[in-house]
Amino acid sequence: MENSLENQTSTLNGTDNNMETTINWLAACRVEDAVENGGVCVKHGEEQIALFYFTRRNEWYATQNECPHRKQMALSRGMIGSSTDEPKVACPFHKKTFSLSTGECLSGDECAIKTYPVKVEDGTVFIGLSA
Amino acid sequence: MKKQQIIVIGNGMVGYKFCEKLKSKTSSFNLIVFGEEPRRAYDRVHLSEYFNGKTAEDLSLSTESWYDEQEITLYLNTPVTAINRTEKKVYTPNGLSYDYDFLVFATGSAAFVPHIEGIEKEGVFVYRTIEDLDLISNYAQKAQTAAVIGGGLLGLEAAKALIDLGITETSIIEFASRLMPRQIDPAGSDMLKSKLTDLGLKILLNKNTSLIEGEESITALKFSDDSHLAVDMLVISAGIKPRDELAKACGLEVGPRGGIVVNEKMLTNDPSVFAIGECALYDGMIYGLIAPGYEMAEVVATHLAENGNKTFNGFDMSTKLKLIGVDVASFGDNFINEPDCRTIVFEDKHKGIYKRINISNDGKYLLGGILIGDAAAYNMLLQTATNNIPLPEHPEELILGSRGGAEGSASGGLENLPDSALICSCEGITKGGICSAVTDQDCENIDQIKKCTKAGTGCGGCIPMVKDLMLYTMKAQGKYVRNVICEHFNYSRQELYDLVHIHEIKSYDEVLDSLGKGDGCEVCKPLVSSILASLWNEMILQKGNDTAQDSNDRFLANIQKGGSYSVVPRIPGGEITPEKLIVIGEVAQKYGLYTKITGGQRIDLFGAHLSDLPKIWEELINAGFESGHAYGKALRTVKSCVGSTWCRFGLQDSVSFAIEVEERYRGIRAPHKIKSAVSGCIRECAEAQSKDFGIIATEKGWNLYVCGNGGSKPQHALLLATDLDSATCIRYIDRFLMFYIRTADPLTRTATWLNKMDGGIDYLRNVVVNDSLGMAAKWEAEMEGLVAAYQCEWKTAIENPAIRKRFSHFVNAPEEKDPTIQFVDMRGQKRTEEWKTV
Ligand code: SRM
Ligand SMILES: Cc1cc2nc3c(=O)[nH]c(=O)nc-3n(C[C@H](O)[C@H](O)[C@H](O)COP(=O)(O)OP(=O)(O)OC[C@H]3O[C@@H](n4cnc5c(N)ncnc54)[C@H](O)[C@@H]3O)c2cc1C
Ligand code: SF4
Ligand code: FES
């Protein structure tokens, strides 16, 4: 299943200039392969993407798998949760936390992590990679 | 009516802040912004963090869509090249013109580059924009030595960046006779110099660079004293030069040494043109810091939006920074000298600390000062000086710390501050603002305060003080600062333990639904999981509890540097047969694991890939091993000495008893890990008195010690009961452990738990031995239940396909291992690579 890219053009709303961005949707896994209220790691060529199924909120998130603190491929193994209402993940190594929605580091001044859009269609989870 | 149009020239920090402030006050203007740089305004103050992994986007002050949302037209990459003030038009390079009703110069400044012969050579840089940093880091890859011209604030920061880029041989060249000549005095400079020298920087003072040598690119510097310094690259940081060229060209008044002249309303000599930030010259002064720039933006925004008469009246130039790990601060009137004041100086050459405060001649007020090496007192001193707070009787204690140990001054000072005291100067937030965020908006942590008030979001220097103020206000309001778990559970651990017990709840989600709120976090998840495990001793990865486990529990192994795991089979009492030793050796060989005898008398196998863990454990379990719970807050090892079976001094069979104890309590989870040991006599070869519970043989039976600890704060265990027979000893341990499990705070070892217990060991003895709480029978029964429920969780894990499936790195390539895990050789085995740095 790896690397099966679905090409699709989607329009990002919210900007006046109707910017057209092409998003390649990577078929990551089936819903039942994802971990409820936790993460799995998705391979995309050389890249590693952490995919989170926040079952409690019925939300999906995807971020880079590498924790910027000590450059560890670990975020998919982190605990997820929320701070006020912000969904977040805590790195298993030193518990630095990052917002799942914006990627911003919520503890200290580690740099932010990359985030990706996610969609589910017919039981398959897709991660959006901007082309 | 057509909206009036404001044009802002410059999309830097202050220009951006002006837009933000204006838009928050009114929408009755059209706003057009021209930026010469290719990107949206970014945080120049934290520019150096670009070298520590922050991206340009991280540094950006706004999101991409912000300008659209605010209906601001932003032209990037578009310098304004000319202005016609009579027609009120600005021109851009493509020949287009735009009309304005009001014009705001926020053009900032450029690095000042002195005229030195050869300055145009390759390898010479300035330090101002992201583009500059890109150029520097590219060039640095082939450079071994570097120099920075300028020993001021920015120069030192540039030098640190060069060191971070791997150029360990970096020199700082300063024309003056001391470092940071605008902030600190000669004695402070000496201290700073010696600290920086210790860190490997070369500091050259009194040096005037006369020539930059080299063919096309720089190879050396020549100084006016004819000395040379060979360098591969050079960063110029000799000050700033206001960007006033455009203003000058259109006939606005500029200062003799640069800067657009403005009045207290930030108006230039043209009543429709303002200047703010580093390009503005107010009262003969350029303010090269962000806080005054933001204040200027506020003045103009208020003026335009509300016709308010807010004015700019100069600004305090106090600064605090951490340069290469050295605190440096100056505040108020830092250079005033006797006889205009009295100074108190504290100098500690050993620790590299220099502090100077200047007080008024009558000893009543603090005028200013300098702090090097330790600037913890900065915020309080600054407040004392700016608010004219009367000094205490012994002002020297402000920099010495009162040695009586009375901590009074920390919050003692806070209540004396007037509500108008400026706490966050970047965002202009006062004490009153922060207090009302706590009292009126119920902010109870720093993040909430940041959201409500913006305090602490600029340079961040005020955060310690904001926190103190917040706690102080909460206390003053009678808010009980309660020991609750986190925002999701309004209970202490013990309260939650009892509630989960009474309601017989068995999964994390149910606990959260019935007793908590929100979605949980990395604090409450492991805590609740631990309570559930302590109460019911069910397999921890079932009932959806897997993702509520601490990371090591979730994969039943300790994660190691690099992302591999360790495997620790239980070896009760440290006793092992040759056959089992061989199995460990074979498994380690097969899976390429590093092996080591642990400090707990067993064997640790390191460097296992996640997907190999089930296979490794399958082989170990088939050979009769079981999980050693090295990853859990659970019983670790019960060490033993060889005891009476071999030792000539042995009084009892310590190995057999250690195995019995270890097998009884294995797998039981607790607020923290628990360790034990059994020694065969008082020579104590098993170190039982350093354990959570330790047993030492006597002529008649066993002495039981409790609440000992190794670790960073070692503490000897205390004698609980003497000459016990084996069965009584076990009963006492049952009661002791259940009492601990039920009442200890999270992550509290038994030693700390006892230290906090009213009545100490005598009380504990009364509870455990004399059953003063009447709980003994219940606790013994509960322990019996836990012992009966024991299962090797690794056995359950490998036999359950759903759980086993989780032990793979890639969900879409389960057979593949994480290619980023790398090992290197060491003494015939492997070890992990060092942490990867930038
Ligand atoms: C492997 C071992 C070192 C060794 O190579 O010998 C070790 C390794 C670790 N110890 Fe330890 N400790 C080991 C014996 C000890 C001992 C000696 C002993 O048990 O007799 C002590 C002092 C005794 C004590 O605990 O009172 C010890 C005191 C600690 C502490 C400090 C505990 C404290 O209360 O202050 C920590 C930190 C913690 O648990 O929070 C710690 C934490 C750790 C961690 C778990 C750090 C971590 O989070 O990764 C290490 C994990 C290694 C791994 O992945 O397996 N280790 N550690 C030893 C394993 C013993 C075993 O067979 O289980
Ligand atoms: C490395 C570094 C560290 C610093 N550290 C601190 C610190 O710790 N504390 C502190 O208070 N301050 C610090 N400063 C200073 C602080 O960054 C400045 O005070 C602040 O950026 C000034 O804001 P500004 O908007 O006036 O100027 P700038 O941020 O320089 O913005 C001006 C913008 O205008 C643009 N511009 C110029 N002319 C034109 C034109 N004709 N048309 C269109 N655009 C134009 C420029 O390209 C620039 O983007 C630091 C500065 C640097 C470089
Ligand atoms: S002493 Fe420190 S470094 Fe050594 S094993 Fe224990 S925790 Fe790790
Ligand atoms: S590696 Fe992620 S927090 Fe340290």
Side-chain angles (χ1 to χ4, degrees):
Chain A
M1 200 192 302
E2 190 203 333
N3 278 346
S4 42
L5 282 178
E6 194 184 288
N7 239 322
Q8 190 171 316
T9 303
S10 59
T11 308
L12 292 181
N13 293 321
T15 48
D16 292 356
N17 48 358
N18 258 345
M19 211 170 48
E20 296 254 309
T21 319
T22 314
I23 293 189
N24 287 325
W25 291 99
L26 166 71
C29 65
R30 303 281 306 164
V31 169
E32 61 272 18
D33 293 332
V35 171
E36 294 200 359
N37 290 310
V40 291
C41 174
V42 176
K43 180 178 160 78
H44 172 239
E46 299 282 276
E47 220 177 325
Q48 298 193 14
I49 300 174
L51 172 68
F52 301 95
Y53 184 13
F54 211 140
T55 327
R56 213 187 150 73
R57 297 160 62 117
N58 197 22
E59 289 165 355
W60 292 85
Y61 294 100
T63 69
Q64 69 185 56
N65 192 33
E66 185 180 79
C67 176
H69 174 229
R70 289 294 193 179
K71 312 252 184 259
Q72 300 287 305
M73 284 297 180
L75 293 178
S76 58
R77 299 180 200 168
M79 251 178 279
I80 63 173
S82 68
S83 161
T84 43
D85 204 33
E86 184 86 354
K88 62 174 182 173
V89 59
C91 174
F93 275 93
H94 312 97
K95 296 258 163 86
K96 302 258 181 200
T97 54
F98 300 89
S99 160
L100 288 172
S101 54
T102 66
E104 182 199 349
C105 180
L106 305 172
S107 42
D109 39 5
E110 287 318 313
C111 56
I113 55 172
K114 244 189 284 176
T115 59
Y116 306 84
V118 181
K119 67 173 184 182
V120 179
E121 270 168 21
D122 299 330
T124 300
V125 189
F126 293 90
I127 299 176
L129 310 160
S130 41
Chain B
M1 198 181 86
K2 195 171 168 281
K3 281 187 182 178
Q4 288 198 307
Q5 182 141 301
I6 301 177
I7 289 187
V8 180
I9 312 180
N11 185 228
M13 295 190 76
V14 175
Y16 166 78
K17 195 45 113 188
F18 168 74
C19 295
E20 187 190 286
K21 286 185 185 277
L22 185 77
K23 282 291 175 181
S24 73
K25 296 181 201 292
T26 175
S27 56
S28 56
F29 292 97
N30 263 342
L31 199 48
I32 305 183
V33 181
F34 292 94
E36 178 191 63
E37 290 187 67
R39 57 188 94 243
R40 283 174 279 125
Y42 52 89
D43 185 353
R44 215 179 291 288
V45 170
H46 294 104
L47 187 64
S48 297
E49 288 174 21
Y50 188 63
F51 285 144
N52 300 333
K54 284 217 171 166
T55 61
E57 197 53 39
D58 297 336
L59 288 173
S60 184
L61 294 175
S62 67
T63 58
E64 187 161 8
S65 54
W66 185 83
Y67 293 88
D68 282 337
E69 287 155 21
Q70 300 292 322
E71 300 184 331
I72 299 171
T73 314
L74 171 67
Y75 296 101
L76 292 178
N77 257 324
T78 313
V80 171
T81 42
I83 297 169
N84 183 330
R85 289 198 290 120
T86 347
E87 287 177 29
K88 290 194 161 185
K89 279 184 192 309
V90 305
Y91 298 88
T92 56
N94 50 17
L96 294 179
S97 71
Y98 302 79
D99 297 325
Y100 67 81
D101 296 293
F102 295 101
L103 186 61
V104 179
F105 274 87
T107 47
S109 58
F112 167 70
V113 181
H115 296 289
I116 302 173
E117 203 185 321
I119 198 106
E120 71 294 336
K121 295 208 163 83
E122 251 178 64
V124 181
F125 303 92
V126 296
Y127 198 84
R128 176 92 199 167
T129 65
I130 290 186
E131 282 64 36
D132 293 334
L133 267 61
D134 281 335
L135 293 173
I136 290 175
S137 73
N138 278 338
Y139 204 86
Q141 287 173 8
K142 48 182 187 187
Q144 254 97 55
T145 55
V148 174
I149 291 191
L153 192 154
L154 283 184
L156 296 184
E157 193 165 321
K160 164 158 169 45
L162 289 170
I163 290 187
D164 287 349
L165 285 172
I167 306 187
T168 42
E169 216 174 292
T170 297
S171 309
I172 294 176
I173 294 149
E174 171 58 50
F175 176 68
S177 57
R178 62 176 197 262
L179 291 169
M180 298 183 68
R182 297 168 72 144
Q183 285 88 9
I184 63 181
D185 61 0
S189 165
D190 286 347
M191 191 63 77
L192 182 59
K193 182 178 164 187
S194 77
K195 286 217 112 179
L196 297 180
T197 312
D198 287 347
L199 292 164
L201 278 167
K202 228 161 86 204
I203 315 270
L204 307 174
L205 299 174
N206 296 310
K207 284 279 180 197
N208 190 0
T209 313
S210 56
L211 177 65
I212 293 172
E213 299 178 345
E215 291 285 306
E216 269 179 13
S217 43
I218 177 170
T219 54
L221 295 174
K222 187 177 170 219
F223 304 109
S224 54
D225 58 8
D226 280 343
S227 58
H228 289 255
L229 178 73
V231 291
D232 301 329
M233 65 188 290
L234 173 69
V235 176
I236 309 257
S237 183
I240 55 173
K241 186 169 132 301
R243 297 278 308 264
D244 59 3
E245 65 279 3
L246 190 62
K248 203 172 174 176
C250 70
L252 291 171
E253 188 188 341
V254 298
R257 276 177 297 143
I260 308 170
V261 176
V262 292
N263 65 13
E264 71 289 346
K265 291 192 165 154
M266 312 317 296
L267 269 177
T268 62
N269 56 330
D270 178 333
S272 22
V273 182
F274 299 85
I276 54 178
E278 275 188 354
C279 62
L281 185 70
Y282 172 78
D283 203 12
M285 169 137 175
I286 296 285
Y287 289 82
L289 289 178
I290 194 58
Y294 281 4
E295 174 72 9
M296 294 176 187
E298 172 75 22
V299 168
V300 179
T302 317
H303 180 81
L304 289 171
E306 299 155 14
N307 233 330
N309 41 18
K310 196 173 162 54
T311 55
F312 184 81
N313 304 310
F315 207 88
D316 184 61
M317 293 296 276
S318 305
T319 33
K320 174 183 164 200
L321 24 138
K322 209 179 189 79
L323 288 164
I324 328 191
V326 185
D327 276 341
V328 180
S330 71
F331 59 95
D333 207 339
N334 46 343
F335 287 144
I336 183 172
N337 272 318
E338 283 161 19
D340 300 328
C341 71
R342 296 186 194 150
T343 58
I344 303 175
V345 172
F346 168 80
E347 194 175 28
D348 177 345
K349 290 212 162 117
H350 171 61
K351 290 193 181 138
I353 296 172
Y354 171 81
K355 299 179 185 178
R356 156 180 172 174
I357 52 177
N358 310 321
I359 64 173
S360 59
N361 278 324
D362 58 8
K364 280 198 182 136
Y365 299 106
L366 179 61
L367 305 176
I370 294 167
L371 307 168
I372 313 276
D374 167 17
Y378 169 76
N379 278 317
M380 206 58 227
L381 290 174
L382 172 63
Q383 294 297 343
T384 308
T386 42
N387 294 297
N388 279 327
I389 295 174
L391 284 171
E393 199 187 323
H394 300 287
E396 69 277 10
E397 293 190 346
L398 292 176
I399 49 175
L400 294 175
S402 60
R403 279 146 302 168
E407 273 288 320
S409 63
S411 85
L414 287 177
E415 63 234 25
N416 294 334
L417 292 181
D419 273 354
S420 61
L422 197 57
I423 304 293
C424 170
S425 49
C426 293
E427 293 288 340
I429 313 296
T430 60
K431 172 183 168 189
I434 289 161
C435 295
S436 86
V438 177
T439 50
D440 305 339
Q441 291 170 276
D442 291 327
C443 295
E444 292 186 357
N445 61 47
I446 285 287
D447 290 339
Q448 291 170 349
I449 301 248
K450 279 186 177 176
K451 264 192 200 127
C452 280
T453 65
K454 289 205 153 198
T457 57
C459 69
C462 62
I463 287 179
M465 191 156 214
V466 172
K467 194 164 172 196
D468 285 349
L469 257 179
M470 177 188 82
L471 292 176
Y472 158 79
T473 316
M474 282 168 68
K475 282 213 188 102
Q477 256 187 308
K479 272 193 193 159
Y480 169 49
V481 185
R482 207 159 142 252
N483 192 10
V484 298
I485 295 164
C486 65
E487 63 174 86
H488 307 105
F489 288 97
N490 204 18
Y491 299 108
S492 69
R493 179 183 179 275
Q494 186 176 343
E495 288 165 342
L496 195 62
Y497 180 97
D498 288 338
L499 286 168
V500 173
H501 196 178
I502 293 162
H503 296 288
E504 292 192 31
I505 316 179
K506 304 212 164 158
S507 78
Y508 173 78
D509 275 337
E510 285 172 75
V511 177
L512 185 58
D513 288 338
S514 51
L515 301 170
K517 58 172 194 279
D519 311 307
C521 68
E522 71 283 3
V523 174
C524 61
K525 283 186 170 180
L527 187 147
V528 170
S529 300
S530 156
I531 290 178
L532 290 171
S534 293
L535 280 171
W536 320 118
N537 208 4
E538 294 182 330
M539 164 60 176
I540 58 169
L541 300 184
Q542 280 166 350
K543 296 213 162 96
N545 286 336
D546 54 342
T547 50
Q549 302 295 333
D550 223 334
S551 163
N552 285 347
D553 274 314
R554 180 174 171 202
F555 295 106
L556 305 178
N558 283 330
I559 195 165
Q560 306 295 327
K561 233 165 148 180
S564 68
Y565 286 88
S566 69
V567 172
V568 190
R570 188 167 294 291
I571 301 179
E575 181 186 85
I576 187 164
T577 61
E579 290 72 22
K580 280 186 152 177
L581 270 178
I582 289 170
V583 172
I584 290 192
E586 283 170 349
V587 169
Q589 213 165 29
K590 179 164 168 192
Y591 294 94
L593 306 174
Y594 165 85
T595 53
K596 178 180 182 301
I597 309 285
T598 72
Q601 293 189 342
R602 48 190 186 174
I603 299 172
D604 203 338
L605 296 81
F606 293 88
H609 285 275
L610 187 58
S611 51
D612 282 342
L613 285 175
K615 299 182 206 158
I616 293 170
W617 277 104
E618 193 157 41
E619 296 197 21
L620 290 171
I621 286 168
N622 285 339
F625 285 103
E626 58 183 1
S627 169
H629 297 94
Y631 45 80
K633 301 287 176 256
L635 179 79
R636 294 289 170 84
T637 62
V638 180
K639 301 209 297 190
S640 76
C641 73
V642 64
S644 61
T645 51
W646 293 91
C647 175
R648 59 194 164 125
F649 295 116
L651 297 173
Q652 309 283 348
D653 180 0
S654 48
V655 179
S656 298
F657 199 45
I659 295 173
E660 185 185 339
V661 171
E662 182 157 348
E663 291 187 336
R664 180 172 181 80
Y665 301 114
R666 65 190 164 181
I668 287 171
R669 284 186 157 73
H672 207 314
K673 60 188 176 193
I674 23 186
K675 296 180 176 182
S676 177
V678 183
S679 280
C681 80
I682 198 57
R683 287 173 191 75
E684 248 280 73
C685 298
E687 302 169 310
Q689 291 167 94
S690 68
K691 300 298 174 200
D692 296 280
F693 59 100
I695 302 161
I696 301 178
T698 65
E699 298 278 354
K700 299 184 196 140
W702 309 102
N703 281 352
L704 176 60
Y705 294 78
V706 291
C707 300
N709 204 152
S712 59
K713 275 214 193 86
Q715 188 168 320
H716 277 145
L718 299 174
L719 187 60
L720 188 79
T722 51
D723 291 329
L724 305 171
D725 61 67
S726 301
T728 310
C729 187
I730 295 273
R731 282 214 327 274
Y732 286 177
I733 301 171
D734 284 359
R735 298 174 188 178
F736 163 74
L737 287 178
M738 288 314 298
F739 187 29
Y740 165 65
I741 289 173
R742 183 163 164 241
T743 59
D745 281 335
L747 299 179
T748 304
R749 288 287 291 270
T750 54
T752 319
W753 171 67
L754 179 66
N755 295 345
K756 287 194 206 160
M757 193 181 290
D758 284 340
I761 184 73
D762 293 328
Y763 176 78
L764 180 61
R765 187 177 299 111
N766 230 352
V767 173
V768 172
V769 178
N770 304 327
D771 191 16
S772 61
L773 297 179
M775 293 292 287
K778 189 162 181 283
W779 285 340
E780 283 170 37
E782 281 175 11
M783 181 59 86
E784 220 39 75
L786 293 182
V787 172
Y790 170 78
Q791 50 183 313
C792 168
E793 50 203 21
W794 259 114
K795 188 162 187 290
T796 316
I798 57 175
E799 287 168 356
N800 179 325
I803 296 179
R804 201 171 166 147
K805 178 176 161 189
R806 294 301 167 213
F807 289 87
S808 61
H809 185 65
F810 293 116
V811 67
N812 56 345
E815 299 308 314
E816 286 182 42
K817 294 173 176 164
D818 180 357
T820 66
I821 297 181
Q822 297 293 333
F823 301 104
V824 289
D825 283 341
M826 190 171 184
R827 290 187 294 275
Q829 297 202 65
K830 69 178 185 185
R831 53 154 295 171
T832 63
E833 276 193 320
E834 268 317 315
W835 296 115
K836 283 165 230 150
T837 46
V838 207

